[in-house]
Amino acid sequence: MSPNRVCLPLGLPLLLFLLGCLVSSTHGTCNVCNTVNNLTCYSSTQMQSCQVDVLSTATPTDCPSGYVCVSGSSGVLCQPEDSASDSQADCQECNKCDETQTFACTGTQSFALCLGTDTVQDSVGTCASGYVCNINDTQICGLPADGVMPTCSYSDDSTTTTVSSTTSSTTAAPPSTSSASTYCAAVQSQGKYAVGYNAYTTCRQYIYCTLVDGSWIGQTYTCPGSMYFDSASEMCVSTMPSTCSTTATTSSTTTAAPTTSNPEAYCQAMQSAGYYPVGTDASTTCHQYIDCFLNGGTWGGNMYTCPGSLYYNSASRTCVSTLPSTCSTTVASLTLNGVVLD
């Protein structure tokens, strides 16, 4: 018997038996219907009956323990995980930046910006009603009726939908530091974290998060004397960190959602020097960008407009002649570090 051929015991469902006896030679993608046996990978360990270019509502079928779903020239099958590398198993591209480093699909109808990096940024984007996010789509979101299927598995939506249904700022904005225990329950990671950016008050404080008997506990501490808390080293230091602002009056200044019409507040939210997009409107804000910089411990920002009919491209961070994918009408909303892009 071929080492790639897997025949399952007779006690398992007939569907899995037939799939297990197929041999795969090419790699497919999540939610794409394989015409060989009209099946698609619903997740990395599940398969589903389907029709081409139609979103399936059939109940997914689990692969046996230790098997992954693979779509290839012989159809969709469950293949032993130890003989299938991560690149062979389907539904592996969710939360990965596309080749242009512009965006990553984070759910079947959601995405995030990458800003010219391989890292998904603190960003939340949503597709227009009826559209799905596809990592290979030039407009980010497309219609299943046009053959565009979601890159992410619907099983991934159990996490992303729950978060976004509460409030879009939950994933885009940092949790409030007014309550140490609430903050630690939100970040769910042990360590020391900055309370705020006011050079005279909150920049001298930090929250220490610990896990005690399965519950996240937080305690707020103040650095001794005139020292500041440095989030990079997680220590109290004598030199004011670059993230501290002499213009911030309260910690709520940084947690309130600023707008792109206020470049300084926008850059205070970004907390990083560089060029950032303003909006998604092809006729107006897509031509603009904001330059963020740190000056004497205070975040400043200037808004600029690309010359002529050029657009700002968030991936290349330059003005370009081609309309960026983030300016597509298929995009319903987009936020970056809690800032709603117009």
Side-chain angles (χ1 to χ4, degrees):
M1 180 179 293
S2 168
N4 292 326
R5 185 182 297 270
V6 181
C7 290
L8 306 176
L10 295 176
L12 293 174
L14 178 60
L15 173 63
L16 293 182
F17 173 80
L18 294 175
L19 294 177
C21 293
L22 291 174
V23 178
S24 174
S25 60
T26 59
H27 169 60
T29 56
C30 202
N31 293 302
V32 176
C33 192
N34 194 309
T35 57
V36 174
N37 54 4
N38 290 326
L39 291 170
T40 182
C41 288
Y42 179 87
S43 71
S44 60
T45 58
Q46 296 172 299
M47 61 187 66
Q48 185 182 44
S49 299
C50 63
Q51 296 180 17
V52 177
D53 296 345
V54 176
L55 286 179
S56 177
T57 58
T59 302
T61 301
D62 293 335
C63 289
S65 178
Y67 285 67
V68 293
C69 184
V70 180
S71 180
S73 60
S74 298
V76 169
L77 70 144
C78 288
Q79 182 173 320
E81 189 172 13
D82 56 3
S83 66
S85 66
D86 290 340
S87 61
Q88 288 177 306
D90 277 32
C91 301
Q92 299 291 313
E93 294 182 307
C94 201
N95 291 300
K96 291 185 179 180
C97 295
D98 71 325
E99 291 184 354
T100 65
Q101 298 182 325
T102 301
F103 73 101
C105 293
T106 56
T108 56
Q109 294 182 302
S110 62
F111 65 94
L113 296 181
C114 294
L115 300 183
T117 70
D118 289 324
T119 304
V120 177
Q121 303 297 305
D122 188 3
S123 170
V124 178
T126 57
C127 296
S129 178
Y131 287 76
V132 294
C133 182
N134 186 286
I135 196 172
N136 298 312
D137 196 290
T138 55
Q139 294 188 309
I140 298 179
C141 306
L143 288 171
D146 295 333
V148 179
M149 292 295 153
T151 291
C152 293
S153 165
Y154 280 92
S155 62
D156 296 324
D157 286 346
S158 60
T159 300
T160 55
T161 302
T162 301
V163 174
S164 60
S165 63
T166 304
T167 169
S168 60
S169 62
T170 302
T171 55
S176 173
T177 56
S178 58
S179 170
S181 293
T182 301
Y183 178 89
C184 294
V187 299
Q188 293 194 3
S189 180
Q190 184 163 307
K192 298 176 182 178
Y193 301 90
V195 172
Y197 305 103
N198 188 309
Y200 309 106
T201 55
T202 55
C203 214
R204 302 181 187 276
Q205 300 173 313
Y206 63 92
I207 291 176
Y208 181 44
C209 296
T210 55
L211 186 63
V212 180
D213 296 330
S215 299
W216 286 101
I217 305 298
Q219 180 67 46
T220 301
Y221 295 93
T222 300
C223 291
S226 59
M227 302 184 79
Y228 305 91
F229 177 71
D230 178 55
S231 57
S233 62
E234 295 190 6
M235 298 176 61
C236 292
V237 297
S238 57
T239 304
M240 182 189 298
S242 60
T243 52
C244 295
S245 172
T246 56
T247 60
T249 56
T250 64
S251 58
S252 62
T253 302
T254 59
T255 57
T259 64
T260 54
S261 59
N262 186 339
E264 290 188 356
Y266 178 103
C267 294
Q268 180 69 24
M270 295 302 109
Q271 290 288 308
S272 180
Y275 302 113
Y276 296 95
V278 174
T280 60
D281 191 317
S283 62
T284 55
T285 54
C286 271
H287 294 283
Q288 301 171 311
Y289 63 94
I290 291 177
D291 176 22
C292 294
F293 54 88
L294 193 61
N295 184 12
T298 301
W299 286 102
N302 292 319
M303 184 182 293
Y304 297 95
T305 300
C306 291
S309 58
L310 297 179
Y311 304 94
Y312 177 72
N313 185 298
S314 64
S316 62
R317 302 181 187 183
T318 58
C319 292
V320 297
S321 58
T322 305
L323 186 68
S325 57
T326 51
C327 300
S328 170
T329 55
T330 66
V331 174
S333 63
L334 182 59
T335 66
L336 180 60
N337 282 37
V339 181
V340 178
L341 302 188
D342 300 326

